[in-house]
Amino acid sequence: MLLGEQFLSYNGEVLLFWLSNPKRVEGTADKTMNLCVRRMAFNRDTKLFVQKSSGVFSMRASHFKIEIICCSCTTDSRTGIILPCILMKKQKHNNVVKYLLLLLHSSNQFEQSFHFKLDYELKEDIRLFTGPSVLWRHANKLFYISANTCTVLSAPIQLSSVVWTGEIEDEGAVVLGVKNACLSESEDEDEFSTSDRAIWGTEFFGYAIETQKMLSGTCFMPHAYSKVVSSVYICKNETLKKQLRISLVAVTHKNQLIWFQDGLPKGVCELPYEKPCSVKTAVTSTNDLLFVVSFASGNVCVVQRRDSLQVASKWQKVKSVLVDDFIGSGSEQLLLLFKDDSSTDALSTFEITDLGKVNCASGINYKHNVPTAEGLQENGLLTVQALEKRLQAGFTSVRELQQHLGLKKRVILQSCRALLDLVEGRTHVLPAAKEVIRKREYRSLLNSAEPFVEGLVSLWDDVENTPHSLSKETSSLSEVQEHFVKKLWQRVVGDNLVVGVELTELFYLSLSDVSLSLVMDRDFSLISPVIKCRNKIMKLNKAFSALSVSSSQIEPPPKKMKMDLHSKNDLRKTFPKRYSGVQLDGARTVIAVTDLSPLLAFHRVCCVVLLHAKKHKHWDDSSQESKKIAVLCGKIFLSLEDISNGKYSVKLLRDNSYCTGSVEDILAVLAVSVRFSFQIVSSDCTLTPVNSWLLGEMECTPFKECHDNILCHKAGNVYGTVFNWTLKNPFEGVLTLFCRNLTVLFQCLHSLTRVLPPSCDVKLLRSGSKGVLTEQFALALEKEMLTSRSSLFSKESKAENSLIGRSEPSKKISDVPVAPSLDSEEGVREFRKKHQNEREECVLRMNQTMNGALYREAALKTAAAQLSTDMTAWRL
């Protein structure tokens, strides 16, 4: 065993720390002591831990006795990165003790964070936490020191033990301990029985170090457990309606593990050994939550929480137990290091398990189940068949999309004709059904394809064009407008006219292919009355924004996500969380944007606003049972006088910490802006500077109607730019900009790059159109099928060529095949020999083998092709 041996898990690796005495150089009086570290990683092929790298930190030890006190992984407050942290002790002969706190970086370089001196030794409840900081208990008092203060501070409390230290949401670093119960003056000691005093003589308390605030212990556990609890692990904490909600497990001196929810016990389990000293958790690949309990005797057990708390497994003679993703599977496993006096290797005897699929121990040779060649060939054929079906479905989808595009073009043509007739007061003549069918059949004959049903007979319904039917349709449209069109509004933003129609959520869910048309309500013979405009559909949550404006995508969501047992995100305090599908107003807004200048040439303009869509009988009906409708939403009036008076201008004003403005103003600004999304990734430090840049240099304030979107108030070209900052994790986020033009975009990016660290990677997120994505999807499916087929049959084709080569000499003997005569014995013998050769050749062709390297290469190519196909399908 190495001197001062300590183990720590970090990013799936095992860190081994120990002290060593280097060889003393002759002629030197100084004595040195080295703190050594070795990074060990698990090799899945050899089933052993191998050394990746190592490091050394030298210390003078002439008059000191040096020891390793403890080690843990803590957050460096300067960068926000979690790093290994080691507490060292250097004791002089005059009883003055010096302590050093060291940080280990990824380059295996040690950094001294701070040091402090005491006139006593640290022995009780020593903890390392965020900062890095050191906390300990001495003479029933709580002391702590951090890298920010470098001064030993004491808390104004008397305590008998510390059972947990960690982070709690909105409170920061918190200490959970036990102290003597404080009785009120009205209570008398004699009124309590002996058993009551034994229970209520102590109580739990929480102490927030940063704010120096006391927290009620009842939100953790009832005070009756304060006498028996030895260690606690908080699994989850959150604040709901200013109430702290906590889930935790505790081990007791009574050899029990107890589960507490919101201060109340929810389950208990008897432990198999005595004197439990610590408990921690692990989340396995099956999302099972395991409680790992360590005992003073060196034993370990695992308690599983399903219907009830039960001991799932136990081990003896364990010198250390670590929890991390050691095999790189994306979930956590347990690493048990056993005591082995016969070996000098610290990781010679171990076991990795998650009490499920993963179970690997040292000294055990695991044989992988290698499938046979027949199984590989059968699986390959099934894979190709499945890919062919996917390719056929993809081709069908592409054809349907092409047909749908042609249908939309013809709908637009018919709509323009109907709108012209409607504005000019003429009766629109609908094409007869027979004529449409005849044209469709003629077109299908030219294309040599089956006719498809497009239903392009009428824009409203298959009824005769009588004045009565038209008046009846107009009345029904007015009813639709009255019940389902909530509001019609207009805004002028720069050189753009923005027209919005707010629909009820129930009505919008029954529609598809929604768009707006603006038709001038005057007889212009030289120009088309239909105004060219761009359409967008938006929804805006008044509490938390949820915009559906052609959002850029990053990557598909992961199929498995690791449980977050801590529930903390410091960056959420600046910007609230997004709820992408929730709305308070229950309405959608369809927006049309058009150029304003051509309309002002007529001085006064009146436009009819029409909404086009496909309506389903029910909101979940299929598209085959839909009916095209055109809803008259109302009229808008526009004049130079109104624009000059600012009647339709956007009013976004700064009011203290918010930006005031109506929902219509916000939607108008977003509709005319160009949207850009950037993925920002940092490998060295957290992305806190982005928040500071938005609120500081760019002078942004959130909209009062939607807090996620913030408006830039900085003077100059960037004024009026809308930002949206979303964090995926503290090191990766997406910044979305809604700006007027590219010049503003470049100015914002230039300002942002000056505050970001040099190691940050900024990437523009792109998203193609539907037609381009459809074509990419078809090509990806074809590539996936060809990859699997070529990988599978490459070996088979080689074998077939060799068989053909071997049969060539026999074919040269007799070029003309002669059927053997079965009348003679020689003919029967020749026929039997020929039949036997054909059977052997058939067996050789069927029984093909594939080596492991070729199979791995084929599997990797197929997986890469499938990933490309899935990405394209998800984006589409």
Side-chain angles (χ1 to χ4, degrees), residues 76 164 209 247 259 279 377 422 432 462-463 489 551 837:
D76 186 356
W164 178 82
I209 294 178
S247 299
W259 171 268
V279 57
Q377 188 173 13
L422 177 64
D462 294 332
V463 296
W489 53 269
S551 58
N837 291 336

Side-chain angles (χ1 to χ4, degrees), residues 31-48:
K31 180 182 178 182
T32 60
M33 179 73 75
N34 290 340
L35 171 63
C36 305
V37 61
R38 186 187 302 166
R39 291 180 184 265
M40 309 290 288
F42 183 71
N43 190 311
R44 302 182 66 173
D45 296 329
T46 61
K47 306 297 181 184
L48 296 173

Side-chain angles (χ1 to χ4, degrees), residues 17-32:
F17 299 96
W18 77 95
L19 296 172
S20 67
N21 292 311
K23 293 182 179 180
R24 195 169 178 178
V25 181
E26 295 182 2
T28 59
D30 292 340
K31 180 182 178 182
T32 60

Side-chain angles (χ1 to χ4, degrees), residues 535-540 545-553 578 580 588-589 591 593 666-667 669-677 709 724 736-738 767:
N535 279 273
K536 292 184 178 181
I537 300 173
M538 294 186 177
K539 59 178 181 178
L540 191 66
S545 75
L547 288 171
S548 61
V549 222
S550 61
S551 58
S552 301
Q553 307 293 352
R578 296 187 64 175
S580 58
R588 304 270 185 137
T589 302
I591 296 178
V593 182
I666 301 173
L667 292 176
V669 171
L670 296 177
V672 301
S673 301
V674 186
R675 176 189 175 119
F676 297 95
S677 294
N709 294 286
N724 188 295
T736 303
L737 296 88
F738 298 87
S767 179

Side-chain angles (χ1 to χ4, degrees), residues 649-655 658-670 701 703-705 711-713 719-722:
S649 299
V650 173
K651 298 178 179 61
L652 298 176
L653 302 177
R654 190 172 185 175
D655 183 13
Y658 287 101
C659 180
T660 60
S662 63
V663 175
E664 291 78 13
D665 293 337
I666 301 173
L667 292 176
V669 171
L670 296 177
T701 55
F703 289 109
K704 198 169 186 178
E705 297 293 338
L711 182 69
C712 175
H713 294 276
Y719 179 82
T721 305
V722 179

Side-chain angles (χ1 to χ4, degrees), residues 519-781:
V519 183
M520 287 190 289
D521 194 11
R522 288 182 60 181
D523 186 11
F524 297 100
S525 57
L526 298 179
I527 64 172
S528 172
V530 181
I531 301 174
K532 182 181 179 181
C533 55
R534 307 180 300 275
N535 279 273
K536 292 184 178 181
I537 300 173
M538 294 186 177
K539 59 178 181 178
L540 191 66
N541 187 339
K542 291 185 178 180
F544 304 94
S545 75
L547 288 171
S548 61
V549 222
S550 61
S551 58
S552 301
Q553 307 293 352
I554 309 169
E555 60 184 8
K559 296 180 180 179
K560 285 188 178 180
M561 295 184 67
K562 185 176 177 181
M563 290 178 65
D564 183 10
L565 298 180
H566 303 286
S567 298
K568 60 180 181 179
N569 191 347
D570 297 336
L571 299 176
R572 292 182 188 170
K573 299 177 182 178
T574 306
F575 298 116
K577 186 178 178 181
R578 296 187 64 175
Y579 294 86
S580 58
V582 184
Q583 294 174 260
L584 295 182
D585 53 356
R588 304 270 185 137
T589 302
V590 185
I591 296 178
V593 182
T594 186
D595 294 334
L596 180 63
S597 303
L599 299 178
L600 296 180
F602 304 104
H603 187 62
R604 292 182 181 273
V605 178
C606 175
C607 294
V608 177
V609 182
L610 293 175
L611 182 138
H612 305 278
K614 288 183 180 179
K615 189 174 188 306
H616 312 285
K617 293 182 180 179
H618 302 285
W619 68 272
D620 56 350
D621 278 351
S622 63
S623 59
Q624 296 178 354
E625 299 181 0
S626 60
K627 179 178 65 173
K628 300 182 185 69
I629 63 169
V631 178
L632 179 63
C633 301
K635 294 183 179 181
I636 61 170
F637 298 90
L638 197 65
S639 66
L640 278 172
E641 183 179 358
D642 292 338
I643 295 175
S644 302
N645 296 332
K647 182 177 180 180
Y648 304 114
S649 299
V650 173
K651 298 178 179 61
L652 298 176
L653 302 177
R654 190 172 185 175
D655 183 13
N656 294 329
S657 58
Y658 287 101
C659 180
T660 60
S662 63
V663 175
E664 291 78 13
D665 293 337
I666 301 173
L667 292 176
V669 171
L670 296 177
V672 301
S673 301
V674 186
R675 176 189 175 119
F676 297 95
S677 294
F678 296 90
Q679 183 183 23
I680 304 176
V681 180
S682 174
S683 58
D684 296 334
C685 57
T686 57
L687 295 176
T688 308
V690 178
N691 293 342
S692 304
W693 173 73
L694 290 172
L695 299 178
E697 182 177 345
M698 302 307 291
E699 301 178 16
C700 295
T701 55
F703 289 109
K704 198 169 186 178
E705 297 293 338
C706 52
H707 298 167
D708 276 6
N709 294 286
I710 57 178
L711 182 69
C712 175
H713 294 276
K714 184 178 181 181
N717 292 335
V718 296
Y719 179 82
T721 305
V722 179
F723 295 90
N724 188 295
W725 173 235
T726 303
L727 278 172
K728 290 181 64 179
N729 55 61
F731 302 93
E732 181 180 354
V734 175
L735 179 66
T736 303
L737 296 88
F738 298 87
C739 49
R740 295 191 303 273
N741 48 50
L742 290 176
T743 304
V744 176
L745 173 66
F746 293 147
Q747 289 179 349
C748 294
L749 291 179
H750 177 69
S751 175
L752 176 62
T753 52
R754 288 186 299 177
V755 300
L756 288 177
S759 60
C760 276
D761 183 22
V762 182
K763 177 183 176 183
L764 175 64
L765 301 178
R766 299 182 181 272
S767 179
S769 62
K770 195 172 185 180
V772 175
L773 290 177
T774 303
E775 184 177 355
Q776 291 177 358
F777 180 61
L779 293 175
L781 282 174

